[in-house]
Amino acid sequence: MSRSPHPRRRATLASLASELNVSRTTISNAYNRPDQLSTELRDRILQAAKRLGYPGPDPVARSLRTRKAGAVGLVIAEPLTYSFSDPAALEFVAGLAQTCEEAGQGLLLVAAGPGRSLADGASSVLSAGVDGFVVYAAAGDDPYLKAVLDRRLPTVVIDQPREVPGASWIGIDDYAAMRELAEHVLGLGHREIAVLTMRLGDRDGEVALVDEDRLRASTFHTQADRIAGVRDAMAAAGLDPAGLTLVEALRQGPTAGGAAAELALRSNPRLTALLCTADALALSAMDYLRGHGIYVPGQMTVTGFDGVPEALRRGLTTVAQPTVAKGRRAGELLHHPPRSGEPVIETLPVELIRGRTSGPPAG
Amino acid sequence: MSRSPHPRRRATLASLASELNVSRTTISNAYNRPDQLSTELRDRILQAAKRLGYPGPDPVARSLRTRKAGAVGLVIAEPLTYSFSDPAALEFVAGLAQTCEEAGQGLLLVAAGPGRSLADGASSVLSAGVDGFVVYAAAGDDPYLKAVLDRRLPTVVIDQPREVPGASWIGIDDYAAMRELAEHVLGLGHREIAVLTMRLGDRDGEVALVDEDRLRASTFHTQADRIAGVRDAMAAAGLDPAGLTLVEALRQGPTAGGAAAELALRSNPRLTALLCTADALALSAMDYLRGHGIYVPGQMTVTGFDGVPEALRRGLTTVAQPTVAKGRRAGELLHHPPRSGEPVIETLPVELIRGRTSGPPAG
DNA sequence: TTGAAAGCGCTAACAC
DNA sequence: GTGTTAGCGCTTTCAA
């Protein structure tokens, strides 16, 4: 391609300038303000750049000078391996990525792996060259979230936790959504129901029954709010919320919902409805039930939450979240911040999907 | 949180230093080499930092100085919207993301949207602060690829194009894989077969029959190699490769394979096998066939390529690629470059999956 | 149109 | 254990 060998030392804007006997400003202008110099000179510069293997202004140096990185950082509390197998998270990322693409910005996936000590864990966040952060569904005490806030960059929190000072928030009304879903189920006549929830905080094991203390100590507000919605719907229907069977799936994975369903049914064999706080849980529970000859919805009503494609395809009764829109709004907030400069709190609408997995209880 | 109001001007390492009457080096050491100063001094510094709202060394300035960005860039030729709906691409990204996470590096998704002019289109690539690039399945003449190479950073090309000077390459033997698959189909007795391929280059429309010129001009080697594999298998089986029906799906989407199948069958109604160069195409084609009462494999053999989860679940006869491994290897090559510094060429193994969608021709 | 000067905030040698 | 010096490569006033 290039005839002359490349110099060992990388070409820089300065070296190009001295080579051509023009000032550094002029080279800079050739790239950033083409209208500030003659076409002729500019062509000469670009040609020389090609000859010398100068790839254009160094992005890092430019960032330092302009105080703009041209990218937003995305922090997901879970290991990326999980996130990439979570359809809801994926849709969110897709929405965010769309706006980044439109804005010509990069999207930096920040490593937030298992090394979750404050010292080490936060380092990746601290060293990310970005103009703003999106934090996806973090626990209230997440060290990465803390590290992000310390950076004092524009930040958008998704779902979780609520009310982070200085940060914008985008999410849904988890309480109302789940309450409406519960009312639908109770309206069908169910009286013995269980909630299968995602994990409420750190704890070992696979699945576990949840007691009052555990629930109160939850660092995941979304989950707690959804449970509260169910309880209040029960109370409003004249049932004792204390009678709710509550099981927590501590690990992700394709069998989590099944294991949770099994524990719930063992704990209360008279259950006729399993309300799951995630579609993934519900789909897994359905697989388990089918494997054990329990017919849905004839013998058991199952509901989900999120409205991921597979759930809709399989006719799951669920609450559809505007997952892609969440991602888009987060991106827009960062790319085009509101004039006021104030953090924004946005509650997005959801839709109750009455699918084929809910029906009146047997008998 | 902090009692004292924050200064309007952001604190920097230098301001902290003069505040504490120590040198900048000492502050730097407090963050980067804790063992180089007394615990006592270090604590005093960290405390003062917290008080002044100093978030630690600026990542961009550090990058400039150390010449390390702490991130790798991923360039995908398609708009991100497509990529996020392509299971194979997603698995690849997941694999790459895993290694980044393990290495504590960020993964920068580079905007490579529709603004594909050389001047404008490449700008996002030019301004990415990264230590290396991964380019996923680009066309031979992709402007982003060119821009990436101009940056002269360590680069790994996936699948496409082959033989990029100075860049490593990871992919599979497309020719051999497809030839083996074709031999399987021919071995079942098929004589009238079609290949449904992904697009071979830029062109308008939805689907089109492919002629010799079009094939020769293809900028997508993977596709062309797979077709060559089928042709050679035909020749080896005593069939005339010219008799191959060849249809190109020009647009992505859930109905692309169906449209391609329709055109193929219209072009040659005696077809008994459709070899698709992507699972997505094959699954879509199967949906189309079922909708038209054509039974698979009884009346029509259908095969795919990639081995995405849905394809395996539906029993598609296909070639399984090590998609996640591809991503992992790309990451490893960037995070732990081989001592020699030479670009690496790696052909990963594939596996022919004899599924339930291939069988002997009818009659 | 072009150039000179002044940093952006940090770290790596090397001296003390 | 701590400080001094010298940039990393660039953009941006401001003046010519």
Side-chain angles (χ1 to χ4, degrees), chain B residues 41-291:
Chain B
L41 177 55
R42 178 158 189 266
D43 286 350
R44 199 152 61 86
I45 289 174
L46 264 29
Q47 204 127 24
K50 183 167 279 178
R51 182 160 43 80
L52 269 55
Y54 175 64
D58 180 291
V60 175
R62 169 186 278 160
S63 280
L64 177 60
R65 185 61 240 236
T66 61
R67 315 264 58 193
K68 298 228 162 309
V72 311
L74 172 60
V75 179
I76 305 188
E78 306 288 338
L80 288 177
T81 317
Y82 287 170
S83 311
F84 272 95
S85 58
D86 173 356
L90 231 32
E91 289 194 333
F92 170 81
V93 178
L96 178 59
Q98 276 170 31
T99 63
C100 289
E101 192 163 58
E102 288 160 17
Q105 301 277 300
L107 176 56
L108 183 72
L109 272 39
V110 173
R116 298 176 69 75
S117 75
L118 237 172
D120 181 69
S123 70
S124 53
V125 167
L126 291 173
S127 67
V130 297
D131 300 319
F133 277 106
V134 176
V135 180
Y136 184 79
D141 55 357
D142 189 285
Y144 288 94
L145 172 60
K146 209 173 301 182
V148 163
L149 296 174
D150 282 348
R151 288 280 304 268
R152 291 164 193 283
L153 294 175
T155 297
V156 181
V157 170
I158 307 301
D159 290 347
Q160 225 346 121
R162 280 188 110 122
E163 294 174 18
V164 177
S168 292
W169 180 87
I170 295 174
I172 60 166
D173 186 338
D174 287 287
Y175 170 85
M178 195 70 181
R179 178 161 179 170
E180 187 186 356
L181 179 60
E183 283 164 354
H184 161 65
V185 170
L186 294 170
L188 290 169
H190 293 271
R191 289 298 172 262
E192 298 284 343
I193 72 185
V195 166
L196 313 189
T197 178
M198 305 286 274
R199 87 189 144 89
L200 299 169
D202 288 333
R203 175 185 277 188
D204 283 340
E206 172 130 33
V207 291
L209 285 167
V210 176
D211 62 24
E212 207 53 40
D213 286 348
R214 173 77 179 159
L215 183 55
R216 204 160 19 228
S218 172
T219 50
F220 289 97
H221 241 269
T222 50
Q223 303 296 313
D225 284 356
R226 293 177 194 174
I227 294 164
V230 174
R231 288 186 158 177
D232 286 0
M234 290 175 76
L239 297 178
D240 180 5
L244 178 67
T245 302
L246 193 45
V247 174
E248 173 181 8
L250 296 162
R251 269 201 288 274
Q252 311 238 14
T255 58
E262 180 173 33
L263 177 55
L265 287 168
R266 197 144 21 91
S267 164
N268 178 5
R270 286 151 53 220
L271 289 175
T272 62
L274 304 177
L275 312 198
C276 306
T277 63
D279 286 345
L281 241 34
L283 295 173
S284 166
M286 281 168 61
D287 291 343
Y288 169 85
L289 294 174
R290 183 172 46 198

Side-chain angles (χ1 to χ4, degrees), chain A residues 322-343:
Chain A
T323 327
V324 177
K326 261 190 207 166
R328 292 199 60 94
R329 277 307 287 152
E332 284 163 7
L333 245 34
L334 254 18
H335 299 314
H336 314 290
R339 297 297 304 245
S340 76
E342 291 297 301

Side-chain angles (χ1 to χ4, degrees), chain A residues 13 24 54 58 65:
Chain A
L13 183 145
R24 313 211 297 280
Y54 176 65
D58 179 290
R65 186 61 238 238

